[in-house]
Amino acid sequence: MKRVKWRKLFVETSAWVTAEVMLNVVGLDNLADYSEYVFQSKALLDATEAFSNLITLVS
């Protein structure tokens, strides 16, 4: 059974929550969320294109 390191979990969670609150106050959280969406969409587009090319080669 894996033992949870509560102190490390608490510190990391507190740092994440603090960063989220600070970014929300400044208004940068939406910008970060949008950039994640853009990069995720590009990765999905690249994967779809590669899959399409693979199907074309096999056919």
Side-chain angles (χ1 to χ4, degrees), residues 1-50:
M1 185 173 191
K2 189 171 184 172
R3 188 170 176 181
V4 177
K5 297 180 181 176
W6 291 107
R7 183 173 297 205
K8 182 179 178 183
L9 178 65
F10 177 74
V11 169
E12 289 180 359
T13 304
S14 298
W16 176 78
V17 169
T18 302
E20 283 290 324
V21 169
M22 289 174 58
L23 288 173
N24 261 332
V25 169
V26 177
L28 292 177
D29 190 48
N30 291 337
L31 181 64
D33 291 342
Y34 180 71
S35 68
E36 289 175 10
Y37 169 76
V38 168
F39 289 127
Q40 185 179 26
S41 295
K42 179 159 176 17
L44 183 59
L45 181 64
D46 291 344
T48 304
E49 184 180 354

